């Protein structure tokens, strides 16, 4: 499981990022599932965007991270971010 929280310098960029992230699910074969959600409460501790992807194994996660479409999106996304937090883990079977 790959979980990412994103905080944007301009919160208005979150919706466009969500759309672009969701498109990765259609072009990166190593993604088993992808969910992206925008924050709804906008509190002082809120992050703007939550992404969860699942992968068959750690090798598929690494292949996703190295995929040209993911790298291209990352190059577009990184300058827009104020902060990012990531947790990667294996779910218990």
């Amino acid at each position: 499981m790959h979980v990412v929280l994103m905080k944007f310098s301009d919160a208005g960029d979150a919706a466009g990022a969500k759309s672009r992230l969701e498109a990765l699910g259609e072009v990166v074969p190593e993604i088993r599932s992808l969910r992206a959600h925008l924050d709804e409460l906008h509190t002082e501790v809120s992050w703007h965007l939550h992404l969860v992807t699942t992968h068959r194994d750690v090798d598929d996660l690494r292949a996703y991270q190295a995929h040209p479409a993911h790298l291209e999106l990352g190059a577009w996304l990184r300058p827009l971010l104020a902060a990012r937090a990531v947790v990667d883990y294996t779910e218990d079977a």
Side-chain angles (χ1 to χ4, degrees):
M1 183 92 50
H2 177 63
V3 179
V4 184
L5 295 175
M6 298 176 212
K7 190 171 287 200
F8 291 84
S9 297
D10 178 350
D13 290 326
K18 178 183 183 286
S19 295
R20 289 178 182 230
L21 286 162
E22 289 171 335
L24 285 179
E26 300 172 16
V27 297
V28 180
E30 293 82 9
I31 296 174
R32 291 179 64 199
S33 68
L34 184 150
R35 294 182 321 248
H37 301 280
L38 298 173
D39 178 63
E40 296 175 358
L41 296 182
H42 313 292
T43 69
E44 60 195 39
V45 297
S46 294
W47 290 66
H48 300 120
L49 180 64
H50 169 255
L51 171 72
V52 177
T53 61
T54 60
H55 309 273
R56 185 176 48 90
D57 54 29
V58 70
D59 292 331
D60 273 7
L61 172 59
R62 289 185 178 129
Y64 153 66
Q65 291 171 326
H67 192 282
H70 181 263
L71 296 174
E72 181 181 332
L73 176 59
W76 173 83
L77 186 61
R78 275 188 300 280
L80 303 176
L81 293 175
R84 178 178 59 159
V86 177
V87 176
D88 294 304
Y89 64 94
T90 303
E91 288 190 291
D92 295 331

